[in-house]
Amino acid sequence: MYEFAVTPAVTQLRRPGVLITEITPESLADELELAPNDRIVRVNGRTVRDYLDFRFQTAGETELILQVKKPNGETWELEIERGEGEDFGLMFEQIVPRQCANECIFCFCKGNPEDARPSLFVRDEDIRLSFLYGNYTTLSSITEDEMKRIVEQRLSPQYVSIHATDLKTRAFLLGVDEKRADISGKLERLLDNNIEIHAQVVLCPGINDGKILEKTLRDLAAHYPKVVSTAVVPVALTRYNTDERLTRVTPEFCRRTIIGVEKMQKEFRKTLGVTFAFLGDEIYIKADLPIPSRKHYGNYPQIEDGVGMIRSFLNSFKSLLKKLETRKSKEIETRAKAVVQTNRVVVETQSLKINIENVRTHHLAITPKNPKSKIQNLKSLNGTILTGEMFAPILAGQIEKLNSLIGSKLHVLAVPNTYFGGDVAVAGLLTGQDYLAVKDKIKGDFAIIPKHTIKSDEPILLDGMTFENLKTQFDMPVYDLDLQDLIKKILHFSPQ
Ligand code: SF4
């Protein structure tokens, strides 16, 4: 089973060459007559496995020899001189993820419906994707080749799922034997080579919580600042996760966890100067306790893992409201001045008893050209923002403030996740069919869905529905926006 899982991944890593997918016109690559479907196999005699290798081996080099395999079987040897920092104008194939050799009891793949799109069953565990996109790996099946590569190419930081430093518990969670679960030597080697680590714990009630969590956080904090931060996120079980070893996360469990971890956070702030161990936003929401302050999160080291996302949104929204308030006051002031000026003209005109129109004080000269102010424009914002059940009450509270400030008619609609079910209530896992199920509840002229429910490189939703197909089933325009996009849109809104 292990070998089956590992072998194709290793083959992918060792596949010679990287495929060119696009060439920028009039670039260096264009001049060299490189073309899509060519494969760069060597740079200065060194094998290229993927675009990271290509970037690494060409970085800072002005004289290069490229070995290129053309689709017709020819091999070209290109000697190149390029200006310092000159770009090749090349786009490459995506990295094919290496897959893991674990059988984690909470693996998200086990929580998918059978008909979920195939990419949801990819158990990626790839140090390259960890470096590039912050994907977590367990390091439990990392090869010597990959270890060397992290160090040599400085693929830092790495995001590592630790789950527990207690070996028995880690092995149990990963579904592997203790020998494979033990990554202490690998971690040490990475840290000794100044590779930074962001750690993650997927918290499973009754398995790696309480004393085991405390030990995990203390063990990791002992390596600060090389272990930069640790995210503790709750296990999310869909209705397809039927493993009896797993227990669902309850509000009471979240409150207990917050109390326990807060003590350590205080201690870490005193000893390390940073919070170091961060709880996922979901834990605070489930516990019905306030989201910590901006200061708590520092520079948001684990925001992509749902840690501090809500605080960051609340702060951005607060500053949006402040800007709109200032804009509103200024517009009121400008209008008041305009009225005073108009009155003055009328008074002067009457006193002179001149019944002719003064061109300089004609009403068009003192009334703004656009008869509606920017704030008035915002009143025409009338639509529905769809989001997950967990975030909906928080978003609704903010949108209510916005509506009462600018007179807009925005609505927030909590969308139940019927596709995955269970306790999945985050916005990011909503599917096309979930949106369609609440279609009749949408009010206004448009609908907004969370951008990250659409695949980043292809306009498709988690249940395989295309975004185009979804849009055709709505009577109004549907936009995909993330929270920061939404804020920008409101700030720069002008009616068509
Ligand atoms: S949770 Fe991650 S590491 Fe564990 S089995 Fe699934 S993909 Fe592999």
Side-chain angles (χ1 to χ4, degrees):
M1 180 68 189
Y2 279 155
E3 292 320 308
F4 177 75
V6 175
T7 304
V10 172
T11 311
Q12 289 290 2
L13 267 177
R14 292 185 179 161
R15 190 169 50 136
V18 59
L19 191 80
I20 298 173
T21 54
E22 264 177 61
I23 302 277
T24 310
E26 292 170 35
S27 62
L28 182 55
D30 202 7
E31 260 175 53
L32 293 166
E33 294 180 22
L34 290 171
N37 294 322
D38 288 352
R39 196 170 266 283
I40 301 181
V41 286
R42 282 177 183 273
V43 172
N44 291 345
R46 295 190 66 184
T47 304
V48 173
R49 294 163 290 188
D50 49 42
Y51 73 81
L52 261 186
D53 264 350
F54 180 80
R55 301 267 178 243
F56 176 75
Q57 285 163 25
T58 56
E61 301 285 345
T62 50
E63 291 180 12
L64 293 144
I65 300 175
L66 301 189
Q67 198 183 85
V68 181
K69 277 237 182 274
K70 300 297 266 184
N72 62 6
E74 282 176 18
T75 302
W76 288 11
E77 195 108 328
L78 301 170
E79 278 188 42
I80 306 167
E81 267 189 44
R82 62 166 181 164
E84 233 163 84
E86 186 180 359
D87 190 44
F88 282 95
L90 287 167
M91 292 285 280
F92 294 110
E93 63 182 334
Q94 287 299 316
I95 285 174
V96 180
R98 174 204 199 287
Q99 297 203 40
C100 83
N102 304 323
E103 275 301 332
C104 296
I105 61 172
F106 52 79
C107 181
F108 57 88
C109 293
K110 296 178 184 169
N112 287 330
E114 272 181 19
D115 62 347
R117 63 167 200 244
S119 61
L120 290 187
F121 292 95
V122 174
R123 299 183 175 206
D124 79 273
E125 159 130 306
D126 196 308
I127 47 123
R128 299 165 299 173
L129 302 182
S130 187
F131 166 68
L132 291 168
Y133 308 116
N135 294 11
Y136 286 92
T137 69
T138 62
L139 296 183
S140 53
S141 56
I142 188 171
T143 60
E144 176 57 23
D145 189 30
E146 289 171 302
M147 283 294 282
K148 278 188 188 150
R149 185 172 184 180
I150 296 177
V151 175
E152 187 195 3
Q153 299 186 351
R154 312 294 316 146
L155 304 185
S156 173
Q158 285 288 312
Y159 291 77
V160 182
S161 279
I162 299 289
H163 303 319
T165 50
D166 174 78
L167 192 53
K168 266 195 177 17
T169 309
R170 186 169 202 264
F172 177 74
L173 284 165
L174 261 53
V176 297
D177 58 40
E178 287 182 28
K179 190 167 170 259
R180 189 176 278 267
D182 184 3
I183 54 165
S184 51
K186 294 169 188 166
L187 269 182
E188 212 176 295
R189 184 165 157 201
L190 294 179
L191 298 176
D192 284 350
N193 281 286
N194 295 319
I195 301 297
E196 288 187 340
I197 303 280
H198 288 279
Q200 177 188 236
V201 170
V202 173
L203 197 57
C204 300
I207 301 176
N208 59 346
D209 55 340
K211 289 276 170 227
I212 293 197
L213 177 64
E214 189 176 336
K215 174 177 157 43
T216 303
L217 297 181
R218 287 193 195 289
D219 287 347
L220 292 168
H223 294 289
Y224 179 83
K226 287 183 183 173
V227 174
V228 188
S229 68
T230 303
V232 180
V233 294
V235 65
L237 302 177
T238 72
R239 67 161 166 272
Y240 303 99
N241 291 108
T242 48
D243 194 318
E244 285 175 358
R245 294 169 296 176
L246 291 166
T247 312
R248 292 191 186 275
V249 169
T250 62
E252 178 45 34
F253 172 79
C254 292
R255 283 190 279 273
R256 265 204 324 271
T257 304
I258 293 172
I259 294 170
V261 173
E262 260 178 1
K263 277 188 206 145
M264 279 184 278
Q265 289 171 333
K266 272 187 197 150
E267 199 184 303
F268 295 148
R269 277 194 291 268
K270 256 193 199 159
T271 53
L272 312 175
V274 292
T275 306
F276 181 76
F278 302 92
L279 293 172
D281 294 351
E282 254 185 279
I283 296 186
Y284 295 99
I285 298 178
K286 271 207 171 144
D288 200 17
L289 287 171
I291 300 283
S293 70
R294 164 77 188 80
K295 221 171 134 196
H296 174 93
Y297 293 104
N299 59 357
Y300 295 107
Q302 301 251 15
I303 193 161
E304 297 301 329
D305 202 20
V307 178
M309 235 176 216
I310 293 184
R311 171 51 59 209
S312 161
F313 165 74
L314 289 174
N315 284 8
S316 303
F317 211 87
K318 196 172 166 189
S319 86
L320 167 77
L321 292 176
K322 215 167 156 189
K323 279 182 194 151
L324 292 175
E325 217 168 324
T326 314
R327 192 186 280 178
K328 191 176 171 183
S329 321
K330 276 190 186 155
E331 285 179 6
I332 291 172
E333 209 177 297
T334 312
R335 280 175 177 271
K337 274 186 193 160
V339 170
V340 170
Q341 212 172 338
T342 312
N343 289 342
R344 201 178 296 139
V345 171
V346 171
V347 170
E348 282 169 6
T349 311
Q350 278 173 352
S351 67
L352 289 170
K353 294 194 174 23
I354 297 170
N355 203 13
I356 55 166
E357 207 173 55
N358 182 336
V359 179
R360 281 182 61 80
T361 54
H362 186 279
H363 70 279
L364 282 178
I366 54 174
T367 308
K369 277 187 186 150
N370 179 356
K372 276 189 173 182
S373 71
K374 283 193 170 178
I375 291 291
Q376 278 177 317
N377 283 339
L378 284 169
K379 278 188 186 170
S380 58
L381 265 176
N382 177 12
T384 303
I385 308 167
L386 287 79
T387 189
E389 285 178 302
M390 187 168 293
F391 182 54
I394 295 175
L395 182 60
Q398 300 305 308
I399 292 297
E400 218 171 275
K401 287 184 200 167
L402 177 80
N403 286 342
S404 61
L405 176 70
I406 61 172
S408 51
K409 290 182 201 69
L410 289 173
H411 315 271
V412 174
L413 182 57
V415 185
N417 195 314
T418 50
Y419 186 72
F420 288 105
D423 44 30
V424 175
V426 293
L429 291 177
L430 288 172
T431 65
Q433 37 188 281
D434 296 327
Y435 295 132
L436 288 179
V438 295
K439 201 172 79 168
D440 296 341
K441 294 184 184 160
I442 293 173
K443 297 179 198 162
D445 312 324
F446 58 85
I448 294 174
I449 62 165
K451 193 180 188 142
H452 50 289
T453 55
I454 297 173
K455 207 165 171 254
S456 60
D457 57 347
E458 197 188 347
I460 189 171
L461 291 107
L462 284 168
D463 54 357
M465 190 182 292
T466 65
F467 188 32
E468 273 319 300
N469 181 0
L470 178 78
K471 285 197 272 192
T472 57
Q473 301 191 54
F474 280 78
D475 305 330
M476 72 261 302
V478 181
Y479 304 108
D480 57 321
L481 298 178
D482 65 24
L483 292 171
Q484 293 305 329
D485 286 344
L486 176 69
I487 289 174
K488 277 189 214 147
K489 284 268 180 241
I490 294 171
L491 204 53
H492 302 295
F493 175 75
S494 75
Q496 299 302 308

